Amino acid sequence: MYNENLTSNNQILDITTEVTAMPSLRDATRTAGVAIVPVRAASQESTHNKTNRALEYRMEKFNNLRYLMVAGLIAGLALHGLIRFGGSYNIGSLLFGEKAVAQTVPSKYSNLNTSIDKTKQTKQPQPVATKYVNGAPTPDWSSITFKNMKFGGAGSVEFPNIKNPGMKETRTWSTGQSLAEVMELGDFEATEFNIEDFTLEDIANITGINLKNLKLSDFETLNWQTLEDLAEAIPKLEDSEVGAIPPIQELVTKVTGSTASYQTVGEVLDNYPELGEVELGKYVKLDKYKLTSIPGIQDAQLKDFTNWQNTTISKVPGLADVPFDQFPSVPIPDVSFIGKVDLPLGSLESGRWKSISGSYQAGFNVPCEKKCGHIEVSGSETIVGAQWMSGKDQNVKGGFGILGSLNGGKEPTGRHPFGKSFKQVIWDINEADGSITTAMFFRICKRGWVDLGCSPYFIGPVPFFTYREIDPIILGTPLTIPKK
């Protein structure tokens, strides 16, 4: 006979077998005085135990799997929240407990103090030397010079017909050409660089050039200097005798017909007023004389020379090779607002009004009606959904003064997170892989005694940082988000 023990779940947990002897055998055992009792089969008991253990193991494994699924869901939601809204948090350090290693950027002239993020993040190659501040790319000024920054496009512009000593009639640039060959000192006047505070001696000390090996013709500024200009710019030149300075001796002789060798520079200026009107480069072959043949020239600041603004950077000895972090001052990134590249959208977009891009003249909330390639920005609640338009699609008003009319008074829309020296512009947008490129655009300025103002920022493009979705991007200030 079978005995079945059932659980509340109707599972069979034990089956026992009772064996009863046949009648004849029962009688025989009685005769022998032996009793036969019911016996539970050993093989059935073993099967029962194995069944119990298998079921228990499967139940335990199923429960563990459910716990893991719930934990994974919670962890995934938390990680998504950190990436999507986490601002400048370092995910690696939050998950793995690692600390970011910070390195101070040394600077001889400036108080720039940024840090390099060395946590385990994948940094894509950048067109310019790069450091990271709170995960966002910033220029590594110690590795950037005017010579190694190259144009990614071509252009040209003609200047108004204004008589200004040293001023060129046109400005032209081509793809692959360096900034040093195109930009002039005045283009960076009243910016964060303060290049005009340099002396030739300062530049020589930084770059290691030997001024004694250079010619007067290597310093373009001298072309339009008069003797009076030189006397005002160079310390103690007025007290030097004309005969001791060969290039000045040549100038005086050609203009006045007199050698005046034993007169001082100050005296010949008093005796021959016309020397205050003629330009050195029109009467003297500057490539005949060493740069140091004019005593004290290396000690004059660039801004002390007349119309220094018109000097091409490559024609100031050594300046093209000076790392930007060695300039008298350096642009410090405005990290007041750092967002994340949330969604790059191409030129088919239209009617975009939540703009945070524009210009100094038009403001930085210029909307776009049609052909509105842009990125949407995420991060804090303040900036979520803000739109930075592509300067390849949209131009805005820029510039001021007489030069403000250049390029039709227009410049690519963008922002200035790195100061007035250049403008950062979103350029190419690739929706397919979620990436964008940005470019630097520069302007032309003539702020001398004849103030011509500054052009729009349209000299470019010069390749700058590339970004992908979720990458931090410095927005800087001012930053207001339009609301309907």
Side-chain angles (χ1 to χ4, degrees):
M1 176 169 53
Y2 292 99
N3 294 326
E4 296 179 353
N5 296 323
L6 303 180
T7 67
S8 60
N9 293 328
N10 296 321
Q11 291 179 303
I12 298 175
L13 298 181
D14 189 21
I15 301 176
T16 59
T17 305
E18 187 177 284
V19 180
T20 306
M22 295 178 63
S24 59
L25 181 59
R26 181 185 310 154
D27 293 341
T29 54
R30 282 199 188 113
T31 304
V34 178
I36 298 177
V37 298
V39 177
R40 180 178 295 172
S43 61
Q44 293 295 333
E45 183 176 355
S46 174
T47 302
H48 156 68
N49 291 338
K50 287 181 180 178
T51 303
N52 279 346
R53 286 196 298 273
L55 288 172
E56 288 174 1
Y57 173 74
R58 283 195 294 271
M59 287 298 296
E60 182 180 357
K61 185 176 180 181
F62 178 70
N63 287 333
N64 287 341
L65 182 60
R66 287 191 301 172
Y67 295 147
L68 288 173
M69 291 173 64
V70 173
L73 177 61
I74 294 173
L77 290 173
L79 185 59
H80 172 75
L82 286 172
I83 294 175
R84 179 67 171 78
F85 303 105
S88 59
Y89 288 115
N90 186 303
I91 303 301
S93 62
L94 287 173
L95 294 179
F96 306 111
E98 296 180 359
K99 295 182 179 179
V101 180
Q103 176 179 323
T104 299
V105 180
S107 174
K108 175 181 177 182
Y109 291 97
S110 74
N111 61 353
L112 177 65
N113 187 357
T114 61
S115 63
I116 304 174
D117 183 356
K118 291 186 178 178
T119 52
K120 291 182 180 178
Q121 297 180 2
T122 302
K123 307 298 185 189
Q124 57 186 319
Q126 296 285 3
V128 295
T130 305
K131 288 182 178 178
Y132 290 84
V133 174
N134 294 335
T138 65
D140 180 0
W141 298 125
S142 66
S143 299
I144 295 175
T145 66
F146 282 119
K147 182 181 286 186
N148 65 25
M149 296 186 73
K150 310 288 185 179
F151 283 98
S156 65
V157 64
E158 291 186 4
F159 293 111
N161 186 19
I162 298 173
K163 290 185 178 181
N164 188 314
M167 185 171 174
K168 291 82 171 173
E169 295 180 355
T170 61
R171 184 82 65 94
T172 302
W173 60 99
S174 58
T175 303
Q177 193 173 14
S178 75
L179 257 67
E181 298 174 285
V182 177
M183 305 306 293
E184 297 178 357
L185 293 179
D187 300 336
F188 300 97
E189 186 175 5
T191 67
E192 297 78 9
F193 288 150
N194 294 323
I195 308 171
E196 64 270 20
D197 290 342
F198 269 141
T199 67
L200 295 180
E201 186 69 27
D202 291 333
I203 297 171
N205 289 337
I206 294 169
T207 61
I209 62 172
N210 189 342
L211 297 177
K212 293 180 180 180
N213 295 335
L214 301 175
K215 305 289 188 181
L216 289 175
S217 56
D218 293 322
F219 187 21
E220 183 186 31
T221 316
L222 296 178
N223 279 300
W224 55 85
Q225 302 302 302
T226 68
L227 186 56
E228 185 175 359
D229 294 334
L230 293 176
E232 291 177 357
I234 300 173
K236 299 182 180 180
L237 184 64
E238 280 188 327
D239 300 329
S240 302
E241 288 188 352
V242 171
I245 311 172
I248 292 180
Q249 174 75 81
E250 181 180 345
L251 175 68
V252 171
T253 301
K254 286 185 175 180
V255 173
T256 68
S258 171
T259 58
S261 300
Y262 298 104
Q263 294 184 49
T264 65
V265 171
E267 290 171 342
V268 297
L269 284 171
D270 290 336
N271 295 330
Y272 304 99
E274 62 268 29
L275 289 171
E277 303 294 332
V278 297
E279 296 175 2
L280 189 64
K282 291 182 179 179
Y283 288 85
V284 177
K285 292 186 177 180
L286 300 179
D287 58 359
K288 284 173 46 180
Y289 302 101
K290 289 186 176 182
L291 180 63
T292 52
S293 63
I294 299 179
I297 193 172
Q298 71 276 7
D299 299 320
Q301 289 185 304
L302 299 179
K303 66 183 179 183
D304 291 335
F305 294 97
T306 297
N307 285 351
W308 57 271
Q309 295 93 338
N310 294 329
T311 309
T312 305
I313 286 172
S314 64
K315 295 179 181 179
V316 177
L319 182 57
D321 295 311
V322 175
F324 281 18
D325 75 328
Q326 296 296 305
F327 287 165
S329 60
V330 181
I332 299 176
D334 182 354
V335 294
S336 303
F337 291 94
I338 298 180
K340 289 181 182 294
V341 177
D342 186 38
L343 188 62
L345 296 169
S347 300
L348 294 178
E349 298 293 315
S350 61
R352 302 293 95 181
W353 57 270
K354 210 172 182 181
S355 169
I356 56 169
S357 54
S359 68
Y360 285 127
Q361 282 68 41
F364 293 94
N365 299 118
V366 180
C368 178
E369 296 300 324
K370 58 182 179 179
K371 198 177 181 184
C372 304
H374 66 280
I375 62 168
E376 290 194 2
V377 178
S378 65
S380 67
E381 292 182 1
T382 306
I383 60 177
V384 168
Q387 298 159 349
W388 184 340
M389 307 300 169
S390 166
K392 206 167 190 178
D393 289 343
Q394 185 185 35
N395 287 311
V396 295
K397 178 179 174 57
F400 60 92
I402 293 177
L403 296 183
S405 64
L406 297 182
N407 199 48
K410 298 291 186 178
E411 64 185 52
T413 192
R415 293 190 61 81
H416 290 269
F418 303 99
K420 295 181 179 180
S421 301
F422 62 90
K423 185 176 191 176
Q424 185 176 14
V425 173
I426 291 177
W427 204 235
D428 291 310
I429 296 176
N430 188 328
E431 289 187 80
D433 65 6
S435 68
I436 62 169
T437 68
T438 65
M440 307 166 80
F441 280 82
F442 297 84
R443 64 180 178 177
I444 299 168
C445 289
K446 305 291 182 186
R447 307 301 306 276
W449 63 275
V450 177
D451 191 348
L452 304 181
C454 291
S455 75
Y457 288 89
F458 75 102
I459 309 295
V462 174
F464 202 39
F465 298 130
T466 60
Y467 301 85
R468 293 186 180 277
E469 290 176 342
I470 309 302
D471 282 351
I473 184 169
I474 297 176
L475 304 176
T477 55
L479 184 67
T480 57
I481 314 299
K483 296 181 180 179
K484 281 191 174 181

